[in-house]
Amino acid sequence: MGKQKKIISLAKIVLLNQVLLFLLSITEKSSAEAKKIKVVSPICTFADIAKNIGGDRVDVINLSDGLNDPHFVEPRPSMIIHMRNAEVVIPIGLRLDLWFFSLIEKSANPKIFEGSSGFIRTYEGVRILEVPEYKFGQPRIGDIHPEGNPHYWLPPDNAKAIAMNIAKKLSELYPEDKEFFIKNTEIFTKKIDEAVEDLKREFSRFEGVKAVQYHKTFTYFADFFKIKIVGEMEPYPGIPPTPSHISQLAEKMKKEGVELIIYEPFRNKKDVEKLSKITSAIPTQIYADCVPQINELKDYISLIRYNIRKIILNIEERENNKKEK
Amino acid sequence: MYEIKDIFPLILPAFFISLSLVLIHVYFGTKIFERGVIFADIAIAQSAFLGSSIAFLIFHDPSKELTYLFGVLSSIFFGILISSQMEREVVFKEGFVGVIYALTSSLSVIVLSKLGRESEHIRYMLAGNILFVSWEDVIRADLIYFVIGILHIIFKPKRRSFVSEFFFFSTFGLVVSSSVSLAGVLLVFSYLIVPVLTSKLLFSSRYTLLTSYLIALISTLIGFVLSVAKDLPTSPTIISVCILFFFVALFIDSIKNLKKKNQELNS
Ligand SMILES: [Zn+2]
């Protein structure tokens, strides 16, 4: 009897020990993880840039990607948790990602409120295009871009500026890693420059090509790579195409010899194809944000490479079609 | 990724507000159903939307309260119009409500075109998301619902008159304007219409209110659990569960009808 009891109590001690060890391992693990800076980004591109700058010091989460319209993202419960745990947020701003700001507010996490230490002014130093001038008493047109065109992150210059802003903020928060962040920014900038040099060379023959876009998504991108945007399918940003606007646009496209209609995957394809039929401009679906689960779109550099090569491919296809005729 | 216990305190206000929404909307839903004017839900909400867009037309950047006030005033106005016709026959009533819906919709389109904005965008700005509801919102909304609930208990009309209908539709407008701004149009409509229809298919009309409440509460509970467990958008999940129940009820009802027909044929 006594022996049995002893064995049982021994087993209890061993078991207790195991449990304690297990608990210890959990807390150790979580403290190791807690050392990483938690960063939350509304889009994949900012997340990729932050990963490049922060390296293994950051744990970055993106809430949306190139398959979705960043203007309208349906919030999910996990997003609030991510915000609650965030130390740094990288909003788009300019009233594009209102949903992201609602999540910040809902998180009740003072570290990431606008103006707090964890809130990055992502577009600082970026020249914002199409800032409207409001005159008192006049209706405001196209309110989806009330503070200018917010789709600023695609051109390499702006991506570099965003990287700088992220590096600056991370260095402010974690001065002990400042050199690491600055070195990473230099490496990332160099990586962009190399990729862009190649892309510019590949694209040089096509510079000045004329295109129409669905929404004002690619204005900055087109500016940088010297693609001439002749117009948008939306009469005003955020207002779906109307028949009268499309017929006017089609006239203009024929007159100017527009070769491409560029649009994102979530736009109305039928509208694009209809316009393509009347104008013989080629529908060219490209992306405004990276998509982690698609290899050729997995990060920022892959994204701009994909876009430029897709555009080249479609221009060449159009040239071949013409020859055949 | 995250633990359910972390998320619970964050979505508790959303859960409470959906319980309040169930309490008030299912009640109004059954009353609307009794009147045979299901379209009145959409017509009143549309007139609230019209009012809010008029606020945008008059003021450039109207505050939340101002857009709400305009929404309420407009829905009361159209509520009076609808209530003035409630003593007519059902076909005319439903038609009239349809006309009001068409009128408020096209007026909204005209107002928005003057604004140069797209209706979806304004709708997005005016309509709330249940996940973002705060405790303050819960308390404010519950106060409104409570007062209106009490008023409805005190002034229970013996028979319908213009005054009773005016009272009904203006309080209805007040509720819809407030709940749409908190939880969005879709969830509000679903609570108004779907549980009542499901209950009508399955249960005797003596228990309509009670069974509608039960159906709405169970859908909400399941919707919330699913939304948290599978990380789905909350309102659409609740709505889907609600509608799933409706289709199950439809299926059961169809089988019952088939059996009845067979029996009639046999006898
Ligand atoms: Zn936009």
Side-chain angles (χ1 to χ4, degrees), chain A residues 51-263:
Chain A
K51 274 179 216 158
N52 273 287
I53 308 305
D56 55 7
R57 289 287 290 113
V58 292
D59 184 9
V60 193
I61 284 159
N62 60 301
L63 302 186
S64 174
D65 59 35
L67 299 175
N68 302 298
D69 186 349
H71 278 290
F72 307 108
V73 170
E74 185 68 44
R76 284 176 278 126
S78 65
M79 294 182 181
I80 303 179
I81 286 287
H82 291 318
M83 284 297 193
R84 166 58 59 97
N85 298 332
E87 283 160 84
V88 176
V89 289
I90 322 172
I92 301 169
L94 299 169
R95 309 278 290 266
L96 188 151
D97 47 349
L98 293 175
W99 58 274
F100 193 73
F101 282 78
S102 303
L103 282 169
I104 292 178
E105 198 187 315
K106 178 69 196 168
S107 76
N109 175 358
K111 276 190 239 165
I112 55 168
F113 284 167
E114 192 161 359
S116 305
S117 59
F119 183 97
I120 298 184
R121 270 189 44 100
T122 319
Y123 59 88
E124 201 154 85
V126 172
R127 200 169 60 88
I128 297 303
L129 304 174
E130 298 163 357
V131 181
E133 281 173 43
Y134 294 124
K135 284 184 193 131
F136 187 76
Q138 260 179 12
R140 310 199 316 191
I141 284 179
D143 219 53
I144 200 166
H145 293 167
E147 295 171 21
N149 189 326
H151 304 271
Y152 55 79
W153 57 87
L154 281 178
D157 292 345
N158 293 354
K160 284 189 244 171
I162 294 163
M164 278 298 292
N165 293 334
I166 294 174
K168 238 198 287 175
K169 180 58 86 179
L170 289 178
S171 307
E172 255 171 55
L173 285 173
Y174 305 91
E176 66 276 13
D177 290 319
K178 190 174 173 181
E179 267 164 46
F180 176 67
F181 297 140
I182 289 176
K183 205 185 92 213
N184 285 347
T185 314
E186 280 164 9
I187 295 172
F188 182 58
T189 305
K190 216 173 150 197
K191 243 168 62 183
I192 294 182
D193 285 340
E194 280 168 13
V196 168
E197 212 186 297
D198 289 346
L199 289 176
K200 276 260 177 190
R201 200 178 319 115
E202 284 174 43
F203 196 66
S204 61
R205 182 164 94 75
F206 306 98
E207 278 177 5
V209 64
K210 287 177 182 170
V212 153
Q213 56 182 342
Y214 195 104
H215 180 76
K216 290 194 169 213
T217 317
F218 298 104
T219 309
Y220 293 85
F221 180 75
D223 250 21
F224 184 86
F225 284 102
K226 301 204 169 63
I227 298 163
K228 193 166 180 283
I229 298 282
V230 171
E232 282 79 30
M233 288 180 66
E234 291 178 339
Y236 296 107
I239 299 178
T242 57
S244 68
H245 175 73
I246 289 293
S247 68
Q248 275 172 17
L249 182 68
E251 282 311 305
K252 199 175 168 193
M253 285 167 73
K254 280 186 230 163
K255 216 188 280 168
E256 300 225 10
V258 170
E259 296 187 41
L260 304 166
I261 306 168
I262 52 181
Y263 67 104

Side-chain angles (χ1 to χ4, degrees), chain B residues 39-82:
Chain B
F39 238 113
D41 302 338
I42 304 174
I44 293 285
Q46 187 62 43
S47 49
F49 179 70
L50 171 66
S52 310
S53 19
I54 290 174
F56 273 85
L57 192 64
I58 298 174
F59 311 96
H60 275 188
D61 225 344
S63 66
K64 239 184 173 176
E65 288 75 19
L66 208 58
T67 44
Y68 178 59
L69 182 72
F70 270 71
V72 170
L73 287 178
S74 161
S75 61
I76 289 179
F77 174 76
F78 286 101
I80 296 174
L81 263 184
I82 291 176

Side-chain angles (χ1 to χ4, degrees), chain B residues 147-194:
Chain B
V147 170
I148 287 172
I150 294 288
L151 286 177
H152 271 250
I153 291 168
I154 298 172
F155 301 115
K156 210 171 189 176
K158 293 220 169 53
R159 50 177 208 89
R160 281 188 206 142
S161 63
F162 173 71
V163 177
S164 77
E165 292 309 272
F166 165 67
F167 169 67
F168 177 81
F169 280 103
S170 51
T171 48
F172 183 53
L174 212 68
V175 166
V176 169
S177 316
S178 130
S179 52
V180 166
S181 74
L182 285 178
V185 182
L186 271 178
L187 187 63
V188 169
F189 283 162
S190 307
Y191 277 152
L192 281 168
I193 298 170
V194 185

Side-chain angles (χ1 to χ4, degrees), chain B:
Chain B
M1 195 173 59
Y2 63 90
E3 287 187 38
I4 297 209
K5 70 170 171 33
D6 294 333
I7 200 124
F8 204 64
L10 293 173
I11 59 159
L12 215 53
F15 184 67
F16 270 86
I17 199 71
S18 46
L19 293 186
S20 317
L21 290 177
V22 166
L23 277 176
I24 194 86
H25 287 91
V26 170
Y27 167 75
F28 270 107
T30 55
K31 295 288 162 195
I32 291 279
F33 193 93
E34 275 172 23
R35 285 166 172 77
V37 284
I38 284 199
F39 238 113
D41 302 338
I42 304 174
I44 293 285
Q46 187 62 43
S47 49
F49 179 70
L50 171 66
S52 310
S53 19
I54 290 174
F56 273 85
L57 192 64
I58 298 174
F59 311 96
H60 275 188
D61 225 344
S63 66
K64 239 184 173 176
E65 288 75 19
L66 208 58
T67 44
Y68 178 59
L69 182 72
F70 270 71
V72 170
L73 287 178
S74 161
S75 61
I76 289 179
F77 174 76
F78 286 101
I80 296 174
L81 263 184
I82 291 176
S83 44
S84 70
Q85 302 301 320
M86 275 304 108
E87 281 166 47
R88 296 182 184 250
E89 54 190 310
V90 169
V91 181
F92 182 87
K93 280 198 287 190
E94 189 75 306
F96 184 74
V97 170
V99 170
I100 295 291
Y101 174 65
L103 174 70
T104 48
S105 303
S106 36
L107 282 178
S108 313
V109 171
I110 292 170
V111 169
L112 292 175
S113 77
K114 281 279 157 223
L115 284 168
R117 290 184 212 194
E118 189 228 340
S119 61
E120 271 317 302
H121 185 224
I122 299 241
R123 222 182 276 281
Y124 187 87
M125 284 166 54
L126 293 179
N129 187 303
I130 199 165
L131 270 179
F132 297 146
V133 168
S134 66
W135 284 118
E136 269 171 55
D137 294 329
V138 176
I139 292 167
R140 202 180 306 136
D142 278 350
L143 265 175
I144 296 175
Y145 301 161
F146 181 74
V147 170
I148 287 172
I150 294 288
L151 286 177
H152 271 250
I153 291 168
I154 298 172
F155 301 115
K156 210 171 189 176
K158 293 220 169 53
R159 50 177 208 89
R160 281 188 206 142
S161 63
F162 173 71
V163 177
S164 77
E165 292 309 272
F166 165 67
F167 169 67
F168 177 81
F169 280 103
S170 51
T171 48
F172 183 53
L174 212 68
V175 166
V176 169
S177 316
S178 130
S179 52
V180 166
S181 74
L182 285 178
V185 182
L186 271 178
L187 187 63
V188 169
F189 283 162
S190 307
Y191 277 152
L192 281 168
I193 298 170
V194 185
V196 183
L197 286 182
T198 312
S199 144
K200 287 282 173 192
L201 282 172
L202 290 183
F203 305 104
S204 98
S205 50
R206 266 178 62 200
Y207 303 114
T208 299
L209 187 63
L210 188 74
T211 48
S212 306
Y213 271 141
L214 272 177
I215 292 162
L217 281 177
I218 294 170
S219 314
T220 304
L221 263 172
I222 296 177
F224 254 95
V225 171
L226 266 180
S227 159
V228 172
K230 299 279 166 201
D231 195 27
L232 303 166
T234 308
S235 300
T237 311
I238 297 174
I239 294 165
S240 305
V241 174
C242 240
I243 292 174
L244 186 74
F245 275 123
F246 171 71
F247 275 106
V248 170
L250 202 64
F251 182 70
I252 295 172
D253 187 63
S254 309
I255 288 178
K256 260 197 229 158
N257 282 346
L258 264 179
K259 270 188 188 161
K260 225 189 241 169
K261 261 191 193 154
N262 275 343
Q263 274 169 0
E264 276 166 19
L265 281 176
N266 287 340
S267 61

